[in-house]
Amino acid sequence: MVTAVSDDVRRQARTDAEAHLRALVGRDDAVLRDDQWSAIEALAVDARRSLVVQRTGWGKSAVYFVATLLLRARGAGPTVIVSPLLALMRNQIAAAERAGIRAVTINSTNIEQWQPINDAINSGEVDVLLVSPERLNNPGFRDEVMPRLAATCGLLVVDEAHCISDWGHDFRPDYRRIRTLLDTLPTGIPVLATTATANARVTADVAEQLGRDVLVLRGSLDRESLRLGVVRLKTAEMRLAWLADHLAEQPGSGIIYCLTVAATQEVAAYLRDRGHEVAAYSGQTDTTERQALEGALVEGRVKALVATSALGMGFDASLGFVINLGAPQSPVAYYQQVGRAGRGTDDATVVLLPQLEDRDIWAYFASLAFPPEQLVRQTLEVLGRSPGAMSTVALESYVELSRNRLETLLKVLDVDGAVRRVQGGWISTGEPWSYDADRYARVAEARQREQDAMLTYLDSGECRMRFLRAQLDDPEAVDCGRCDNCGGITLSAAVSDAAVAEAGAALSRPGVALEPRKMWPSALVNLGLDLKGKIADGPTEGRAIARLTDLGHGQALRALFKVGVEDGPVPASLTAALMAVMKDWSAAWQERPVAIVGIESSRRPQLVGDLATGLSRVMKLPIVGRFAIVDASVAPAQGAANSAQRVSAIHRRYRLEADVPAGPVLLVDDLVVSGWTMTMAGVALRRAGASGVLPLALGTQT
């Protein structure tokens, strides 16, 4: 319900708002657009709940910063912003400080600052608090900090609000906690939800979760500065060569998005060798290094960051291009990524280089969907039997799910009221819970439609921006006149022979390290195994030709291990690569191995046998035995979802059958998935008398 406010008060509020905007952007001629003012007025004057669906660069952060200044001037409490991206948080804090807004963040990287920040909040010294959605269900924050903030905050902002909806392309269970938070807010506290990537279904879902009387402001999603295009090249060598030949032509600095962490490292290394100032960036990058790299990109000190989707730039990013090496699995996700470019420029180039392996990567991500009902019920049953809280690590020993999937499941169950996170882990609430199979199936179908639409985008002859806007249900979608299909940009597919040759050499250079497991999984005692702590007698660092996700030999390995491919000997191309790996690796050995032991395979016995006998022949080493399958009822990949389950399965399935010599042993396998089979075979060899174990595999999934 809109509060009655006089016209004079509204006019003065707009005057003050535009003064704040000028301070925020550092321009004396800055004025609010009518739609921006409508959002600010709803929040700061009428105390309404609002959902703003506007394109990247529209100025959504300006809305909540200006509204914050208006509310604080009237004595309101601090604004709480829930934001999923640390990079975006850092941008927002810097922008706020330039406007005289005192902004701080509480997240997993600044634990030592939490108490001083809480003290500053309590004393009224903070205007804006940014928190990650994960904080909302941290027991200490949820039970001690959040109730006070909910009671005293002046404005709640939910950034990237499409994450609330499981129909959104980037649904995050932690965001569902926000609905509970909304119910605890005192009457009259305004709420703003913002996103650039919500279609009609997601918009309706988020608006419903915000409650009644929600103002929905949905604008055109056109990005007038972006020139979109697709360049199709047949091989990974040609795609890398295109980057090397054409990166310098791109305007300003930008981002090269890759689908995997391994690809960011591989591509960045190749481009640096070709003389380009680039760096790899992913969720695995150290926090301090991430901040430094973000600054280097914004300030133009690097030509590009080669990044996964972990890189999301915010208010101050002004990038000249975005290149995607590989297609994201939905047009909506793609629209979000390309939106990092063209914020502060009239023209920005957006190039998509699709890969044959994109669908395999999409299939992997699809495999991480909501678990089947049997595993959910099993999780609830285990928690229900437990006399106290159980950690995720302890639950792993009872439920065959990876830690990430188990954490996600528990978060969903928590929001649904079936479990609760407490100090020390999770407990069952005993409340009834129903498995909404129909909804999960509909979400999976929606994801498949998104993938099909992405494939259509690649070959479509229609306007590319219009296509993306239509996927977001933008009713104003029209031909842009700027993309390659509209004739507004022409992208050359030419690559130089020299660049292709160098790319081929880089991709054909085999060899990745197999890092040994160093610690036994926790709670193995629950599975009847007396194994804990440090693995003191395991194998040393090993080698594989490549990761399955690698751009070079990864393609041959993916073909070799594809489901349905018949068993056979090691292909000639991989044999040559393996010999190159052995040559480089052997130079670092302190002592040459004296024997070979193979890991028996029920799926590819000929492949593993050929690998072992070939190495025996070339290296003139005897094969002295095998890590043998003794319980075929344990499936080959049983327990692979998490370490505790996998160790238990391997313990039952295998036994060392070998006449082990006293020297080092070369341990061979076809494919390393979790690393536990190699580790346990290595432990068995060491305990049988081997002085060392050198693991070797054709490929690795890690």
Side-chain angles (χ1 to χ4, degrees), residues 113-169:
Q113 299 175 28
W114 287 8
Q115 189 55 53
I117 288 172
N118 286 336
D119 294 341
I121 292 170
N122 293 337
S123 60
E125 299 172 10
V126 171
D127 298 315
V128 170
L129 171 65
L130 292 104
V131 298
S132 65
E134 291 76 17
R135 284 303 98 204
L136 300 180
N137 205 31
N138 173 276
F141 187 86
R142 179 196 65 209
D143 298 335
E144 299 170 18
V145 179
M146 204 63 228
R148 185 174 64 253
L149 282 177
T152 61
C153 76
L155 169 65
L156 175 66
V157 177
V158 183
D159 204 6
E160 307 291 350
H162 59 273
C163 297
I164 293 176
S165 173
D166 56 5
W167 299 105
H169 72 279

Side-chain angles (χ1 to χ4, degrees), residues 488-568:
I489 185 174
T490 301
L491 295 170
S492 171
V495 291
S496 66
D497 291 341
V500 172
E502 291 191 19
L507 293 177
S508 64
R509 190 178 303 131
V512 295
L514 295 176
E515 296 293 340
R517 291 281 190 168
K518 294 181 170 59
M519 300 290 293
W520 291 111
S522 299
L524 283 176
V525 67
N526 295 335
L527 296 170
L529 297 177
D530 186 20
L531 299 170
K532 60 183 178 180
K534 186 176 180 180
I535 301 173
D537 49 2
T540 59
E541 182 182 87
R543 288 292 185 275
I545 295 173
R547 306 175 190 88
L548 262 62
T549 54
D550 284 347
L551 300 176
H553 291 290
Q555 185 171 345
L557 289 167
R558 286 191 298 275
L560 178 64
F561 294 116
K562 189 172 183 179
V563 175
V565 174
E566 290 187 10
D567 187 23

Side-chain angles (χ1 to χ4, degrees), residues 48-70:
R48 295 185 65 183
R49 294 186 176 185
S50 304
L51 170 58
V52 173
V53 182
Q54 297 283 0
R55 68 184 185 276
T56 302
W58 174 84
K60 296 184 286 294
S61 53
V63 167
Y64 50 73
F65 283 141
V66 169
T68 293
L69 288 166
L70 292 175

